Amino acid sequence: MVSRAGRKTDAGFGKQSSRDALLQAVKNLMTRGGTIDVSLSDIAQESGLNSALIKYYFGTKQGMMIALVEDVVLADIAQLHHLLESDANPVEKLRSQIGAIVNVYFRNPYLNRLVNKLFEDPESAEILAERVSRPMAAVQRALIEQGVEQGYFRNVDPMLLYFMVLGACDHLFFGQRMLKVTFGLDIMDEQLRKSYANTILDLVMNGILLPKPAA
Amino acid sequence: MVSRAGRKTDAGFGKQSSRDALLQAVKNLMTRGGTIDVSLSDIAQESGLNSALIKYYFGTKQGMMIALVEDVVLADIAQLHHLLESDANPVEKLRSQIGAIVNVYFRNPYLNRLVNKLFEDPESAEILAERVSRPMAAVQRALIEQGVEQGYFRNVDPMLLYFMVLGACDHLFFGQRMLKVTFGLDIMDEQLRKSYANTILDLVMNGILLPKPAA
């Protein structure tokens, strides 16, 4: 099957795992290197696979990057639709959704940078907007609106909240040099990443809650 | 007078205004272009001044960029020290400080990107860290600690709060393409910038407040 982005999926034995190995190699390279510029030969070396397989599975490097974003984000998108239909408390539902976004970014700090790069190409932008960005933003908007209607949340602009959460997450990738120069921290380790994720989640959730939520 | 960064200041008639005109030209170019890559000839054209004046006033382009960051941020740094000595309510003091940071970024959306670029050079990094980044972070830390001690604030990590605020602000510069692709917004106009600044300030301040502040 070839998708609009030229992606090829293959259920043959051993082939799915080569596809996954290629995607994992890109994730490793971007996370370790703090850059989204990775070459085909870097990917081949990191995965131990021939770079011709990239063409086979993804058509182009661009197609591979789109597949990577979908791979990283889609599981959470599915969760999000599930949240909308749930009868749980709006506070818990929004906390789950923002927590899922924050966690995706913390496992994949290059994500926003990569998405932004892909947005430069109109065709890739439309694919990603349709499959990833708009669904995420739409679910968050619906969850916030539920909470506002039911008297739990302040009346914030969902678009601006979404924009702020992504900016705070993105800074994890971009702001490391600032941490080093300003605070003398050489790396942001796993523990600090977790603390930062929790700080974002707590501040945003406490920030959106009305002082006296409905019973 | 020549500073460590090779900056020259000059009290001669008309000269200060040429210096300011050069800095203003860079601000205009970066804000309009959404990029920190501006050439000497762009600066000359935008300011209507000879690019040799850049060497005269700032020594190098790097020196000019350091002077720009100081020019943009220093007035607020002064304010911040004033805040520490004030007897005002910790909530109002922190709101003023974060509000000042947010406003500087909203008037100068290229700021974080430029600072990060300058941080690549160890000498520039140390100058900016000493004059700008560490004082800002230290004042914010002291204000948060005051508020925690006096029972107004949750016990957040001041470094992570600072990091989150800068990330949210920085996204204004970096995230515009996301806004366009995801929400169909062509530009973030003045009104939307202001709404976003208020959203950040309100969410962070509401987020840090304890449910029942001390009387």
Side-chain angles (χ1 to χ4, degrees):
Chain A
M1 186 195 104
V2 178
S3 78
R4 270 198 292 165
R7 262 182 336 125
K8 202 171 278 177
T9 55
D10 196 315
F13 290 115
K15 298 210 170 164
Q16 187 61 26
S17 68
S18 290
R19 183 180 180 278
D20 288 348
L22 289 168
L23 292 179
Q24 189 59 49
V26 177
K27 292 181 200 178
N28 295 346
L29 289 166
M30 289 183 176
T31 303
R32 273 209 315 268
T35 173
I36 57 168
D37 294 319
V38 299
S39 69
L40 295 184
S41 63
D42 288 340
I43 299 168
Q45 195 179 355
E46 175 77 16
S47 64
L49 295 168
N50 191 307
S51 66
L53 284 172
I54 293 173
K55 188 162 185 193
Y56 174 73
Y57 284 114
F58 307 104
T60 61
K61 196 167 143 191
Q62 183 95 341
M64 183 185 200
M65 297 305 158
I66 292 176
L68 178 67
V69 173
E70 290 191 86
D71 184 67
V72 160
V73 176
L74 275 189
D76 293 288
I77 295 278
Q79 267 188 340
L80 306 182
H81 284 289
H82 174 74
L83 278 176
L84 272 182
E85 294 148 21
S86 136
D87 291 331
N89 180 309
V91 182
E92 285 315 307
K93 293 201 298 187
L94 185 63
R95 175 174 278 273
S96 297
Q97 200 254 3
I98 294 179
I101 293 176
V102 170
N103 279 322
V104 164
Y105 275 93
F106 285 72
R107 287 195 308 272
N108 306 279
Y110 54 82
L111 184 61
N112 213 33
R113 209 54 41 136
L114 178 59
V115 168
N116 197 63
K117 176 78 183 161
L118 291 170
F119 277 175
E120 286 176 10
D121 171 58
E123 197 196 351
S124 303
E126 190 46 40
I127 293 171
L128 283 181
E130 185 191 315
R131 296 191 196 159
V132 177
S133 305
R134 287 188 207 123
M136 275 173 73
V139 169
Q140 189 171 93
R141 171 181 291 273
L143 291 173
I144 290 172
E145 285 171 355
Q146 280 184 359
V148 170
E149 270 167 34
Q150 294 177 39
Y152 287 93
F153 297 152
R154 297 171 198 276
N155 195 9
V156 301
D157 181 326
M159 182 183 79
L160 295 180
L161 181 77
Y162 183 77
F163 195 69
M164 178 179 157
V165 169
L166 292 200
C169 290
D170 183 46
H171 208 213
L172 189 72
F173 187 60
F174 186 74
Q176 303 244 16
R177 194 175 289 131
M178 187 278 274
L179 278 181
K180 180 168 180 177
V181 176
T182 307
F183 299 104
L185 279 180
D186 250 346
I187 53 153
M188 190 175 238
D189 63 15
E190 192 58 25
Q191 181 57 42
L192 194 58
R193 274 173 197 269
K194 275 195 192 141
S195 300
Y196 185 53
N198 288 334
T199 298
I200 294 175
L201 188 57
D202 286 346
L203 273 175
V204 170
M205 288 308 301
N206 291 330
I208 198 177
L209 276 178
L210 280 169
K212 294 182 181 180
Chain B
M1 185 196 105
V2 178
S3 78
R4 269 196 295 164
R7 260 184 334 126
K8 201 170 278 175
T9 55
D10 196 315
F13 289 115
K15 298 210 170 164
Q16 187 61 25
S17 69
S18 291
R19 184 181 182 277
D20 288 349
L22 288 168
L23 292 178
Q24 189 58 50
V26 177
K27 292 181 200 178
N28 295 347
L29 289 166
M30 289 183 176
T31 303
R32 274 209 313 269
T35 173
I36 57 168
D37 294 319
V38 298
S39 69
L40 294 184
S41 63
D42 289 340
I43 299 168
Q45 195 180 356
E46 175 76 16
S47 64
L49 294 168
N50 191 307
S51 66
L53 285 172
I54 293 172
K55 188 162 185 193
Y56 175 73
Y57 284 113
F58 307 104
T60 61
K61 196 166 144 190
Q62 183 94 339
M64 182 184 202
M65 297 305 158
I66 292 176
L68 178 66
V69 173
E70 291 191 86
D71 185 67
V72 160
V73 176
L74 276 189
D76 293 288
I77 295 278
Q79 267 189 343
L80 306 181
H81 283 290
H82 174 74
L83 278 176
L84 271 183
E85 294 149 22
S86 136
D87 291 331
N89 179 308
V91 182
E92 286 315 305
K93 294 200 303 188
L94 185 62
R95 174 174 277 273
S96 297
Q97 200 253 2
I98 294 179
I101 293 175
V102 170
N103 280 323
V104 165
Y105 274 92
F106 284 72
R107 286 195 309 271
N108 306 278
Y110 54 82
L111 184 61
N112 213 32
R113 207 56 38 139
L114 178 60
V115 168
N116 198 62
K117 176 75 181 164
L118 292 170
F119 276 175
E120 287 176 8
D121 171 60
E123 197 197 350
S124 303
E126 189 47 40
I127 293 172
L128 284 180
E130 185 190 315
R131 296 192 196 158
V132 177
S133 304
R134 286 187 207 124
M136 275 173 74
V139 169
Q140 189 171 94
R141 171 181 290 272
L143 291 173
I144 291 172
E145 285 171 355
Q146 280 184 359
V148 171
E149 269 166 35
Q150 294 177 39
Y152 287 94
F153 297 153
R154 297 171 197 276
N155 195 9
V156 300
D157 180 328
M159 183 183 79
L160 295 180
L161 181 76
Y162 182 77
F163 196 67
M164 178 179 156
V165 170
L166 293 199
C169 290
D170 183 46
H171 208 213
L172 187 73
F173 187 61
F174 186 73
Q176 302 243 18
R177 194 176 288 131
M178 188 277 275
L179 278 181
K180 180 169 181 177
V181 175
T182 307
F183 299 103
L185 279 180
D186 250 346
I187 53 154
M188 191 175 237
D189 63 16
E190 193 57 26
Q191 181 56 44
L192 194 57
R193 276 172 196 268
K194 274 194 193 142
S195 300
Y196 185 53
N198 289 333
T199 299
I200 293 175
L201 188 57
D202 286 346
L203 273 175
V204 170
M205 289 307 302
N206 292 331
I208 197 177
L209 276 179
L210 281 169
K212 294 183 181 181

